[in-house]
Amino acid sequence: MWLVSIFIATLFLAYVKGANDNFKGVATLFGSRITSYQTAILWATVTTFAGALTSTIFANELVKTFSGQGIVKDAIANAPNFHIAVAIATGLTVLIATILGLPISTSHSLIGAILGGALVAIGLKANFAVLLSYFVLPLFLSPILAIVLGAGVYSIVEYIKPKVSLPINQNFIKIAHYISAGIICFTKGFNDTPKLVSLVMVIAYFSRQGSMITIAMAMALGGLISSQKVAETISIKITPMNHTQGLSANIITSSLVIAASYFGLPISTTHVTVSSIFGVGLMTEKTNKVVFFKVFIAWILTLPIATILGGIIYRLLQN
């Protein structure tokens, strides 16, 4: 029963992660009215699923035994009830945010859930120092980088456009926009699927590839069925955007994600995506700062909410 529960809890987490995450890469396609919501989420689903399937071939080494991220010893973290508590608490945190239409970081929810279980298991002996690199630095570094670069790139593009007499091919811009969105979604699918699979590696009956494909399907379904509220927040409510703004934001997001992977920068893809859109919107003075502030508060509250849920659920499972 423990093993079945771990698998079900992980599928639940994969579904809500897809609901909150999958649309982020294509938000600018919908927001700049290049395409409809239906086409945008379909493109996100196809490219995310393609990344997830590719990870089954090339990213097996990314699938590691689930650990406590240095917060708690592996002997505790690898216990079945700890796995289940972390998966459920992370999933519930992301689900609450998705229902409210708030894009948050699943990684931060996961860290919070681990911390909650650790506090119940070993109290203040939990390693709080790792929160600096896993939570604090990404929380503030990602938005600052993305906002500054987003505003800067869009300003440069707007400055150059009147001075360049070359005709701009709108079809080329549209294709480039689709490609940039697809790259973001593909990368997320490729990187995120192995991380979730690590939660079920304790189950000897499942193969890695079979687990990765099943989790990829759950993420795809979550995006297709439950993404609309988050999509409206990112694409419409933060700022109205045109094609140039949308493409500029995507360039910043994809560049920072690639740079972070290469240099090991502690940034959050979710925070970069949202903040780059906010950054380009600042230059038109049409941003809805109240909405962005609500999203930022949700980012801050992600860790404590997941920690509380993780602690409660782990305590219940102990009993």
Side-chain angles (χ1 to χ4, degrees):
M1 284 302 296
W2 279 117
L3 300 183
V4 173
S5 299
I6 289 173
F7 191 64
I8 292 174
T10 305
L11 287 182
F12 163 67
L13 172 56
Y15 180 92
V16 296
K17 176 178 173 57
N20 198 277
D21 268 8
N22 284 10
F23 197 85
K24 293 167 186 173
V26 297
T28 58
L29 288 176
F30 178 45
S32 59
R33 296 297 185 267
I34 284 181
T35 189
S36 64
Y37 167 80
Q38 289 78 11
T39 303
I41 189 59
L42 183 61
W43 179 238
T45 302
V46 169
T47 50
T48 302
F49 192 68
L53 289 182
T54 305
S55 72
T56 66
I57 302 172
F58 298 106
N60 274 313
E61 65 276 9
L62 294 178
V63 181
K64 301 175 182 177
T65 302
F66 176 72
S67 71
Q69 303 289 340
I71 297 174
V72 65
K73 293 181 179 179
D74 290 351
I76 297 173
N78 288 324
N81 56 352
F82 196 92
H83 275 232
I84 296 171
V86 168
I88 293 176
T90 305
L92 286 176
T93 304
V94 178
L95 177 62
I96 293 168
T98 303
I99 291 172
L100 296 174
L102 298 170
I104 65 169
S105 169
T106 304
S107 296
H108 285 188
S109 302
L110 183 65
I111 294 299
I114 293 172
L115 178 61
L119 287 172
V120 171
I122 58 176
L124 296 179
K125 293 180 181 178
N127 185 4
F128 293 92
V130 300
L131 295 181
L132 178 65
S133 58
Y134 282 114
F135 179 74
V136 178
L137 285 178
L139 177 63
F140 294 101
L141 183 62
S142 303
I144 291 172
L145 280 175
I147 290 173
V148 171
L149 291 176
V153 167
Y154 179 65
S155 299
I156 292 171
V157 171
E158 288 296 295
Y159 177 78
I160 293 175
K161 276 170 61 177
K163 300 180 182 301
V164 177
S165 58
L166 293 175
I168 298 175
N169 189 315
Q170 292 298 322
N171 286 330
F172 175 78
I173 293 177
K174 186 176 181 179
I175 292 172
H177 203 156
Y178 266 97
I179 292 173
S180 66
I183 289 173
I184 295 170
C185 293
F186 182 91
T187 303
K188 286 181 69 64
F190 186 87
N191 289 328
D192 290 350
T193 306
K195 295 176 185 177
L196 293 185
V197 171
S198 69
L199 283 167
V200 296
M201 280 297 94
V202 70
I203 305 174
Y205 302 106
F206 296 135
S207 67
R208 287 191 177 190
Q209 290 189 337
S211 299
M212 291 169 84
I213 291 172
T214 304
I215 286 172
M217 292 173 64
M219 288 171 58
L221 283 174
L224 280 173
I225 297 172
S226 306
S227 282
Q228 192 150 4
K229 282 192 174 182
V230 172
E232 290 175 354
T233 299
I234 305 175
S235 303
I236 300 172
K237 293 182 179 180
I238 291 177
T239 183
M241 67 183 90
N242 55 35
H243 299 341
T244 306
Q245 288 173 299
L247 183 56
S248 298
N250 269 20
I251 290 172
I252 294 304
T253 299
S254 55
S255 298
L256 283 177
V257 169
I258 293 171
S261 299
Y262 184 79
F263 293 107
L265 296 174
I267 67 171
S268 163
T269 304
T270 296
H271 300 175
V272 167
T273 303
V274 175
S275 299
S276 61
I277 291 173
F278 181 74
V280 296
L282 280 176
M283 305 314 297
T284 62
E285 299 182 352
K286 293 181 180 179
T287 53
N288 190 329
K289 295 180 178 63
V290 173
V291 172
F292 182 76
F293 180 74
K294 288 179 180 178
V295 172
F296 188 75
I297 292 298
W299 293 346
I300 293 175
L301 293 177
T302 297
L303 184 92
I305 290 174
T307 299
I308 293 169
L309 290 173
I312 291 173
I313 295 170
Y314 183 57
R315 172 60 74 193
L316 292 173
L317 292 175
Q318 277 186 320
N319 296 331

